[in-house]
Coordinates of all heavy atoms in Angstrom, one line a residue:
L1241 N 4.6 11.0 22.9 CA 3.5 11.8 22.8 C 3.5 12.7 21.6 O 2.5 12.9 20.9 CB 3.4 12.7 24.1 CG 2.3 13.7 24.1 CD1 0.9 13.0 24.1 CD2 2.4 14.6 25.4
A1242 N 4.7 13.3 21.2 CA 4.8 14.1 20.0 C 4.5 13.3 18.8 O 3.8 13.8 17.9 CB 6.2 14.7 19.9
G1243 N 5.0 12.1 18.7 CA 4.7 11.2 17.5 C 3.2 10.9 17.5 O 2.6 10.8 16.4
L1244 N 2.6 10.6 18.6 CA 1.2 10.2 18.7 C 0.3 11.4 18.3 O -0.7 11.2 17.5 CB 0.8 9.7 20.0 CG -0.6 9.2 20.2 CD1 -0.8 8.0 19.3 CD2 -0.8 8.8 21.7
L1245 N 0.7 12.6 18.7 CA -0.1 13.8 18.3 C 0.0 14.0 16.8 O -1.0 14.4 16.2 CB 0.5 15.0 19.1 CG 0.1 15.2 20.5 CD1 0.7 16.4 21.2 CD2 -1.5 15.3 20.7
A1246 N 1.2 13.8 16.2 CA 1.3 14.0 14.8 C 0.5 12.9 14.1 O -0.2 13.2 13.0 CB 2.8 13.8 14.4
L1247 N 0.4 11.7 14.6 CA -0.4 10.7 14.0 C -1.9 11.0 14.1 O -2.6 10.8 13.1 CB -0.1 9.4 14.8 CG -1.0 8.2 14.4 CD1 -0.8 7.7 13.0 CD2 -0.8 7.0 15.3
I1248 N -2.3 11.6 15.2 CA -3.7 11.9 15.3 C -4.1 13.1 14.5 O -5.1 13.2 13.8 CB -4.1 12.2 16.8 CG1 -3.9 10.8 17.6 CG2 -5.5 12.7 17.0 CD1 -4.1 11.0 19.1
L1249 N -3.3 14.2 14.6 CA -3.6 15.5 14.0 C -3.3 15.5 12.5 O -3.8 16.5 11.8 CB -2.8 16.6 14.7 CG -3.2 16.8 16.1 CD1 -2.3 17.9 16.7 CD2 -4.7 17.2 16.3
I1250 N -2.6 14.5 11.9 CA -2.5 14.5 10.4 C -3.3 13.4 9.8 O -4.4 13.7 9.3 CB -1.0 14.4 10.1 CG1 -0.2 15.6 10.6 CG2 -0.8 14.4 8.5 CD1 1.3 15.6 10.3
P1251 N -2.9 12.1 9.8 CA -3.7 11.2 9.0 C -5.1 10.9 9.6 O -6.1 10.8 8.9 CB -2.9 9.9 9.1 CG -2.0 10.1 10.2 CD -1.7 11.5 10.4
V1252 N -5.2 10.9 11.0 CA -6.5 10.6 11.6 C -7.5 11.8 11.3 O -8.7 11.6 10.9 CB -6.4 10.3 13.1 CG1 -7.8 10.2 13.7 CG2 -5.6 9.1 13.3
V1253 N -7.1 13.0 11.6 CA -7.9 14.2 11.4 C -8.3 14.3 9.9 O -9.4 14.6 9.5 CB -7.3 15.5 11.9 CG1 -8.0 16.7 11.4 CG2 -7.2 15.5 13.4
D1254 N -7.3 14.1 9.0 CA -7.6 14.1 7.6 C -8.6 13.1 7.2 O -9.5 13.3 6.4 CB -6.3 13.9 6.8 CG -5.4 15.1 6.9 OD1 -5.8 16.2 7.4 OD2 -4.2 15.1 6.4
F1255 N -8.4 11.9 7.7 CA -9.4 10.8 7.4 C -10.8 11.2 7.8 O -11.8 10.9 7.1 CB -8.9 9.5 8.1 CG -9.9 8.3 7.9 CD1 -9.8 7.6 6.7 CD2 -10.8 8.0 8.9 CE1 -10.7 6.5 6.6 CE2 -11.6 6.9 8.7 CZ -11.6 6.2 7.6
V1256 N -11.0 11.7 9.0 CA -12.3 12.1 9.5 C -12.9 13.2 8.6 O -14.1 13.1 8.2 CB -12.2 12.6 11.0 CG1 -13.5 13.2 11.4 CG2 -11.8 11.4 11.9
F1257 N -12.1 14.2 8.2 CA -12.5 15.2 7.3 C -12.9 14.7 6.0 O -14.0 15.1 5.4 CB -11.5 16.3 7.2 CG -11.9 17.4 6.3 CD1 -12.5 18.5 6.8 CD2 -11.6 17.4 5.0 CE1 -12.9 19.6 6.0 CE2 -12.0 18.5 4.1 CZ -12.7 19.6 4.7
I1258 N -12.1 13.8 5.4 CA -12.5 13.2 4.1 C -13.8 12.4 4.2 O -14.6 12.5 3.3 CB -11.3 12.3 3.6 CG1 -10.1 13.2 3.3 CG2 -11.7 11.5 2.4 CD1 -8.8 12.3 3.2
V1259 N -13.9 11.6 5.2 CA -15.1 10.8 5.3 C -16.3 11.7 5.5 O -17.4 11.5 4.8 CB -15.0 9.9 6.6 CG1 -16.4 9.2 6.9 CG2 -14.0 8.8 6.3
A1260 N -16.2 12.8 6.3 CA -17.3 13.7 6.4 C -17.7 14.4 5.1 O -18.9 14.6 4.8 CB -17.0 14.7 7.5
S1261 N -16.7 14.7 4.3 CA -16.9 15.4 3.0 C -17.6 14.5 2.1 O -18.6 14.9 1.4 CB -15.5 15.8 2.4 OG -14.8 16.7 3.2
Y1262 N -17.2 13.2 2.0 CA -17.9 12.3 1.1 C -19.3 11.9 1.6 O -20.2 11.7 0.7 CB -17.1 11.1 0.9 CG -15.9 11.3 -0.1 CD1 -14.6 11.2 0.3 CD2 -16.2 11.7 -1.4 CE1 -13.6 11.5 -0.6 CE2 -15.2 12.0 -2.3 CZ -13.8 11.8 -1.9 OH -12.8 12.1 -2.8
V1263 N -19.5 11.9 2.9 CA -20.9 11.7 3.4 C -21.8 12.9 2.9 O -22.9 12.6 2.4 CB -20.9 11.6 4.9 CG1 -22.3 11.7 5.5 CG2 -20.3 10.3 5.4
V1264 N -21.3 14.1 3.1 CA -22.1 15.2 2.6 C -22.3 15.2 1.1 O -23.4 15.5 0.6 CB -21.4 16.5 3.0 CG1 -22.1 17.8 2.4 CG2 -21.3 16.7 4.5
I1265 N -21.3 14.8 0.3 CA -21.4 14.7 -1.1 C -22.5 13.6 -1.5 O -23.4 13.9 -2.3 CB -20.1 14.3 -1.7 CG1 -19.1 15.5 -1.6 CG2 -20.2 13.9 -3.2 CD1 -17.7 15.2 -2.0
F1266 N -22.4 12.5 -0.9 CA -23.4 11.4 -1.2 C -24.8 11.8 -0.8 O -25.7 11.5 -1.6 CB -23.0 10.1 -0.4 CG -21.8 9.4 -0.9 CD1 -21.1 8.5 -0.1 CD2 -21.2 9.8 -2.2 CE1 -19.9 7.9 -0.6 CE2 -20.1 9.2 -2.6 CZ -19.4 8.2 -1.8
I1267 N -25.0 12.4 0.3 CA -26.3 12.9 0.7 C -26.8 13.9 -0.3 O -28.0 13.9 -0.7 CB -26.3 13.5 2.1 CG1 -26.0 12.4 3.2 CG2 -27.6 14.2 2.4 CD1 -25.8 12.9 4.6
S1268 N -25.9 14.8 -0.7 CA -26.4 15.9 -1.7 C -26.8 15.3 -3.0 O -27.8 15.6 -3.6 CB -25.2 16.9 -1.9 OG -25.5 17.8 -2.9
V1269 N -26.0 14.3 -3.5 CA -26.2 13.7 -4.8 C -27.5 12.9 -4.7 O -28.4 13.0 -5.6 CB -25.1 12.8 -5.2 CG1 -25.4 11.9 -6.4 CG2 -23.8 13.6 -5.5
L1270 N -27.7 12.1 -3.7 CA -28.9 11.2 -3.6 C -30.1 12.0 -3.4 O -31.2 11.6 -3.8 CB -28.7 10.2 -2.4 CG -27.5 9.2 -2.6 CD1 -27.4 8.3 -1.4 CD2 -27.8 8.3 -3.9
S1271 N -30.0 13.1 -2.7 CA -31.2 13.9 -2.4 C -31.6 14.7 -3.7 O -32.8 15.0 -3.9 CB -31.0 14.9 -1.3 OG -29.9 15.8 -1.6
S1272 N -30.6 15.1 -4.5 CA -30.9 15.9 -5.7 C -31.5 15.0 -6.8 O -32.4 15.4 -7.6 CB -29.7 16.5 -6.3 OG -28.7 15.6 -6.7
G1273 N -31.1 13.7 -6.9 CA -31.6 12.8 -7.8 C -31.2 13.0 -9.3 O -31.7 12.4 -10.2
T1274 N -30.2 13.9 -9.5 CA -29.8 14.2 -10.9 C -28.3 13.8 -11.0 O -27.5 14.2 -10.2 CB -30.0 15.7 -11.2 OG1 -29.2 16.5 -10.2 CG2 -31.4 16.1 -11.1
S1275 N -28.1 13.1 -12.1 CA -26.7 12.7 -12.4 C -26.0 12.0 -11.3 O -24.8 12.2 -11.1 CB -25.9 14.0 -12.9 OG -26.5 14.6 -14.0
S1276 N -26.7 11.3 -10.5 CA -26.2 10.7 -9.3 C -25.1 9.7 -9.6 O -24.0 9.6 -9.0 CB -27.2 10.0 -8.5 OG -27.9 9.0 -9.2
S1277 N -25.3 8.8 -10.6 CA -24.4 7.8 -10.9 C -23.1 8.3 -11.4 O -22.0 7.9 -11.0 CB -24.9 6.8 -12.0 OG -25.2 7.5 -13.2
K1278 N -23.1 9.3 -12.3 CA -21.9 10.0 -12.8 C -21.1 10.7 -11.7 O -19.9 10.6 -11.6 CB -22.2 11.0 -13.9 CG -21.0 11.6 -14.5 CD -21.4 12.6 -15.6 CE -20.2 13.3 -16.2 NZ -20.5 14.3 -17.2
A1279 N -21.9 11.4 -10.8 CA -21.2 12.1 -9.7 C -20.6 11.1 -8.8 O -19.4 11.4 -8.3 CB -22.2 13.0 -9.0
L1280 N -21.2 10.1 -8.4 CA -20.7 9.1 -7.5 C -19.5 8.4 -8.1 O -18.5 8.1 -7.3 CB -21.7 8.1 -7.1 CG -22.9 8.6 -6.2 CD1 -23.9 7.5 -6.0 CD2 -22.4 9.2 -4.9
R1281 N -19.4 8.1 -9.4 CA -18.3 7.5 -10.0 C -17.0 8.3 -9.9 O -15.9 7.8 -9.8 CB -18.6 7.2 -11.5 CG -19.4 5.9 -11.7 CD -19.3 5.4 -13.1 NE -19.7 6.5 -14.1 CZ -20.9 6.6 -14.5 NH1 -21.9 5.8 -14.1 NH2 -21.2 7.5 -15.4
T1282 N -17.2 9.7 -9.9 CA -16.0 10.5 -9.8 C -15.4 10.4 -8.4 O -14.2 10.8 -8.2 CB -16.4 12.0 -10.0 OG1 -17.3 12.4 -9.0 CG2 -17.1 12.2 -11.4
C1283 N -16.1 10.0 -7.4 CA -15.6 9.9 -6.1 C -15.0 8.5 -5.7 O -14.2 8.4 -4.8 CB -16.7 10.2 -5.0 SG -17.5 11.8 -5.2

Side-chain angles (χ1 to χ4, degrees):
L1241 178 61
L1244 186 60
L1245 284 176
L1247 172 64
I1248 294 172
L1249 295 178
I1250 299 179
V1252 173
V1253 168
D1254 287 355
F1255 176 79
V1256 171
F1257 181 87
I1258 293 167
V1259 170
S1261 299
Y1262 282 117
V1263 167
V1264 173
I1265 290 171
F1266 290 161
I1267 292 174
S1268 175
V1269 169
L1270 294 176
S1271 62
S1272 66
T1274 58
S1275 303
S1276 60
S1277 60
K1278 180 179 179 181
L1280 291 176
R1281 281 198 301 271
T1282 63
C1283 300

